[in-house]
Amino acid sequence: PIGGFSYSEGLEAAINAELVTTDSEAGDWLVQQLHLTQSRGDMAVIAQAASAWNTADLPRIAELNQWVRTTRESSEMRLQTEQMGRSLVEWLRNRYADQAAILGNVSWLAAQDASYPIAFSFAAHCAGASAHDALLAYAFGWAENLVQAAVKAVPLGQSAGQRILARLTQEIPQAV
C-alpha cells in the first residue's frame, strides 16, 4: 500500500538505452543492482537503523535518514524514497493508532520526513523482526517490485519474471 510498484529505479532508462532487452539482461541488471546499490545503500541503512531503534538513538536515526535523502542519484529517486516513506509512516499511524508509545515515534518520523528505509526499519522494529529478517523481507519486496517493472517494461512474460525472481531470491541472502 505504499506505491513501490510504480517505480523502476532506473530500469526503464536502462531499457531505453538498450542495455536491458532480454530476460537474461534484466536478471543480470537486477542482480547487479541488488549487490551494488541495495546491499550497500538502503539495506546497510536499515541494518544500522535497527540497532539505533533498539537503543532509541533518535539522533543516529535522523543522521541515517539525512544520508539516504542526500545520496539519491536523481531527483526521481529522492522523490521515490520520500513518497514511499510518507506512505509507510501513514500506514504505521493507522496500524498503531491505539498505541501511544509507537505513535510518538511515528509522529517523530513524520516530522523528519522519513525516507523509505528509515520508515521500513521502524516498521520492522515494531514487528519485532531481527535485522536479518527485516533485510530479507526488504530485499524480497524490492526484488518483487523490480521484477514486475521488468515484466512490463522490457517486456517479458510471466514465466521469465518468475525465473528472474527465483534468481534474485538465491542472491538475497548473500546481499543481506
Side-chain angles (χ1 to χ4, degrees), residues 11 15 17 20 31 45 50-51 71 77 99-100 103 109 111 131 134 146 154:
L11 178 59
I15 292 166
V20 175
V31 166
V45 167
S51 296
T71 59
M77 293 182 104
Q99 297 182 35
L103 282 178
L109 285 167
L146 270 289
V154 172

Side-chain angles (χ1 to χ4, degrees), residues 54-141:
N54 288 337
T55 60
D57 187 351
L58 295 181
R60 178 64 178 146
I61 294 165
E63 178 184 330
L64 291 166
N65 188 55
Q66 187 60 30
W67 184 87
V68 170
R69 294 168 52 88
T70 58
T71 59
R72 288 300 190 235
E73 294 86 352
S74 67
S75 61
E76 177 185 276
M77 293 182 104
R78 182 175 175 162
L79 290 172
Q80 172 188 347
T81 199
E82 291 170 349
Q83 179 274 307
M84 290 176 64
R86 276 191 306 275
S87 295
L88 185 50
V89 167
E90 278 307 306
W91 183 88
L92 289 164
R93 187 181 315 279
N94 291 327
R95 167 65 178 86
Y96 295 104
D98 60 344
Q99 297 182 35
I102 291 175
L103 282 178
N105 281 330
V106 170
S107 294
W108 182 84
L109 285 167
Q112 297 293 311
D113 199 15
S115 64
Y116 179 58
I118 295 300
F120 185 92
S121 69
F122 183 65
H125 175 75
C126 291
S130 68
H132 184 262
D133 288 346
L135 290 169
L136 290 171
Y138 179 88
F140 184 80

Side-chain angles (χ1 to χ4, degrees), residues 20 22-31 143 146-148 150-151 154 156-171:
V20 175
T22 67
D23 60 334
S24 177
E25 290 171 345
D28 291 346
W29 193 87
L30 291 172
V31 166
L146 270 289
V147 167
Q148 289 177 6
V151 166
V154 172
L156 304 173
Q158 293 298 317
S159 294
Q162 289 299 314
R163 285 191 300 273
I164 294 169
L165 187 57
R167 181 176 171 198
L168 284 166
T169 300
Q170 294 299 312
E171 296 285 335

